[in-house]
Amino acid sequence: MTDTRIRDERIIERLAEGEEIKGRSLWQNAAQRFARNRAAVGASVALGLVVLFTLVGPFFAQWSNEEIDWALMGDIAGQGAPSIANGHYFGLDDLGRDLFARTVQATRTSLVVGIIGALVAVVIGTLYGAVAGFVGGAVDNAMMRFVDIMVAIPYMFIIILLMVMFERSFFMLFVGIGIISWLDMARIVRGQTLSLKHREFVEAAQAAGLGWFRIVLRHIVPNLLGIVVVYATLLVPLMILVESFISFLGLGVQEPNTSLGRLIAEGAGTIIYGTIWQLLVPLFFFLVTIISLFFIGDGLRDALDPKDR
């Protein structure tokens, strides 16, 4: 006998006894299903520890991210290895700077880029796709043809071109990522909007005299939150991957700032000197962050699936 059938029989028995049963919302059911997903819960804990590391790490760092340890700079492969005694918990980088402090800064930078990039994609893509799907007709056709044209252009080419032509800064990095990150979201939301625009609650809102934009904001978008949340959690690691690749090429975050992609590139370039920790430390935080976000996204997708009850 399945768990669902057992639960249904218990509910029937409680109703027969006159007991009042309170209903649960979609989000309450989703939270319970997410809590039963061990991989997703474990990933949430791992990601929480990474975020905690970026918040409390600066209080434990004995060196700043720009400070050079001149005493150990000439012996990075020896005394510059990870050590609690000299205060370099993760060792030194190739320029004699504390890798612990730089890893804290790099992890924070990558998370900020991923979260802000995903937020931009969610806001623009959701509104764009919802308007296109709800209005329909020539407006929908024109808006989605524009999306098709943008998708056809290699997005990495756009980002690299912007970073080369203009100042290599956080602002230009966000602009480059924001230009292309919302396109897939717009397509997904537009398809879901087409299935919602003829539902009874939308027709009731139209009969009440609400304008199309208010209907989109108050009735269409709230019913898309499940899909939007799932896609956003999957979009954050993609944004981090894009930023890391750009920084790996040397076109992303510039000194004195750093990111995980830049640290990995620096570690890969100095591994021949025996300083393997310069590669393994940022690579560890990069993999934990990316894998955790993907597991959380999969867990939310399963938890918010209305067919998985």
Side-chain angles (χ1 to χ4, degrees):
M1 185 178 296
T2 63
D3 294 338
T4 302
R5 185 175 178 182
I6 294 175
R7 184 177 66 249
D8 292 342
E9 290 183 353
R10 290 177 177 174
I11 292 175
I12 294 174
E13 292 177 357
R14 292 166 62 184
L15 289 173
E17 295 175 358
E19 182 178 349
E20 181 180 356
I21 299 178
K22 296 183 180 180
R24 292 179 299 183
S25 66
L26 170 65
W27 297 102
Q28 290 175 327
N29 289 328
Q32 291 188 355
R33 288 195 295 272
F34 185 86
R36 292 196 295 266
N37 190 328
R38 295 183 179 179
V41 173
S44 300
V45 173
L47 183 62
L49 292 176
V50 172
V51 174
L52 183 65
F53 169 75
T54 64
L55 296 177
V56 304
F59 298 102
F60 293 93
Q62 299 186 26
W63 301 76
S64 70
N65 60 298
E66 300 180 35
E67 190 176 0
I68 298 176
D69 189 345
W70 298 100
L72 301 180
M73 183 179 179
D75 189 24
I76 294 177
Q79 297 184 17
S83 173
I84 298 179
N86 56 25
H88 300 299
Y89 310 129
F90 293 165
L92 299 177
D93 67 359
D94 55 319
L95 296 180
R97 295 171 296 187
D98 182 51
L99 190 58
F100 178 85
R102 288 180 62 78
T103 302
V104 171
Q105 182 194 38
T107 306
R108 185 190 302 120
T109 299
S110 295
L111 286 174
V112 168
V113 170
I115 293 173
I116 294 181
L119 184 62
V120 171
V122 166
V123 174
I124 297 178
T126 300
L127 292 177
Y128 191 95
V131 170
F134 186 80
V135 175
V139 174
D140 177 31
N141 188 52
M143 294 177 69
M144 298 315 296
R145 294 300 75 77
F146 173 76
V147 171
D148 293 338
I149 294 173
M150 293 296 295
V151 170
I153 303 175
Y155 70 90
M156 197 60 68
F157 173 77
I158 298 177
I159 298 177
I160 293 176
L161 185 63
L162 288 173
M163 299 301 293
V164 171
M165 292 179 59
F166 302 98
E167 182 182 358
R168 300 176 187 178
S169 61
F170 274 114
F171 176 75
M172 288 309 304
L173 185 62
F174 288 135
V175 169
I177 293 177
I179 286 177
I180 49 88
S181 60
W182 60 272
L183 300 174
D184 291 333
M185 172 65 81
R187 282 180 162 183
I188 294 173
V189 170
R190 183 250 183 186
Q192 294 296 319
T193 301
L194 290 176
S195 64
L196 291 174
K197 62 185 296 185
H198 297 299
R199 298 285 294 273
E200 293 81 0
F201 61 89
V202 175
E203 294 178 353
Q206 291 174 328
L210 292 181
W212 65 268
F213 192 69
R214 292 184 64 186
I215 294 176
V216 168
L217 291 181
R218 295 179 57 181
H219 298 282
I220 299 296
V221 172
N223 282 277
L224 297 173
L225 285 181
I227 297 173
V228 169
V229 168
V230 171
Y231 188 78
T233 56
L234 296 175
L235 194 60
V236 172
L238 294 179
M239 296 296 99
I240 295 177
L241 285 171
V242 171
E243 182 278 326
S244 298
F245 179 72
I246 295 298
S247 297
F248 187 88
L249 297 178
L251 299 174
V253 179
Q254 300 299 308
E255 296 288 353
N257 298 313
T258 188
S259 68
L260 290 176
R262 188 168 184 84
L263 286 185
I264 291 173
E266 294 173 356
T270 59
I271 193 174
I272 58 175
Y273 303 111
T275 57
I276 191 172
W277 62 85
Q278 293 187 45
L279 174 63
L280 294 182
V281 170
L283 186 61
F284 169 78
F285 283 93
F286 177 79
L287 291 177
V288 170
T289 302
I290 295 296
I291 294 174
S292 298
L293 286 168
F294 275 123
F295 273 116
I296 293 173
D298 287 339
L300 286 174
R301 181 186 59 191
D302 295 338
L304 292 171
D305 187 357
K307 298 179 182 178
D308 186 19
R309 297 294 178 84

